[in-house]
């Protein structure tokens, strides 16, 4: 395995939780942003996200927090897995604090209608692409199947080869194929 990376996962829903757990299980330090302090406290004390995956024992290398700025601080890879309705607001909030050189990856399905934009377009509009690379992680998978460690696949897309390799290294497992 490569060097330990600091991974920020924004969104403690179903997909964000399983992505955080894979990265942490692969030995990386993971900060998981959730919307409220009660959820963060429960995840940290119980080692599970009982709202979405009560059956999944989370790695002890995950630290949940409702403090977006502290979660994002010094992250090498930022996985944004929030609902599409709040996606742009979250991207705008992280823009001033995202580390130069960090990979910013959309893990959110959806399209903004007015004006028409994909989630990766929203990142590119807000984040300085000369300082950060942008990617999209999406695939024919269900978070429940990933949590149950069924063999599932996903795709990472980016014009940045380093981002692609870093995400593969960070999230690949025996059952999660990128």
């Amino acid at each position: 395995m490569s060097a330990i990376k600091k991974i920020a996962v924004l969104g403690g829903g179903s997909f964000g939780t399983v992505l955080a757990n894979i990265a942490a299980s692969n030995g990386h330090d993971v900060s998981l942003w959730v919307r409220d302090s009660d959820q963060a406290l429960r995840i940290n004390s119980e080692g599970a996200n009982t709202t979405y995956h009560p059956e999944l024992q989370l790695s002890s290398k995950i630290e949940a927090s409702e403090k977006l700025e502290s979660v994002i601080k010094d992250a090498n890879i930022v996985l944004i897995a929030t609902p599409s309705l709040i996606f742009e607001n979250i991207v705008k909030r992280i823009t001033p604090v995202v580390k130069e050189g960090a990979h910013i990856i959309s893990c959110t399905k959806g399209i903004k209608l007015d004006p028409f934009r994909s989630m990766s377009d929203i990142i590119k509009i807000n984040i300085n692409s000369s300082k950060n690379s942008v990617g999209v992680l999406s695939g024919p998978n269900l978070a429940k199947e990933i949590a149950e460690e069924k063999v599932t696949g996903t795709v990472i897309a980016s014009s940045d080869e380093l981002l692609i390799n870093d995400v593969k290294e960070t999230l690949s497992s025996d059952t999660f194929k990128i």
Side-chain angles (χ1 to χ4, degrees), residues 11-19 49 52-53 143-144:
S14 200
F15 197 43
T17 299
V18 295
L19 292 175
N49 186 344
Y52 293 95
H53 296 290
K144 185 172 176 28

Side-chain angles (χ1 to χ4, degrees), residues 1 36 45 51 53 57 60 65 93 108 110 115 123 125 133 168:
M1 189 177 88
D36 67 78
S45 64
T51 307
H53 296 290
Q57 183 61 48
S60 60
S65 174
R93 283 181 59 193
T108 299
I123 296 171
I125 288 165
S133 51
K168 282 181 178 178

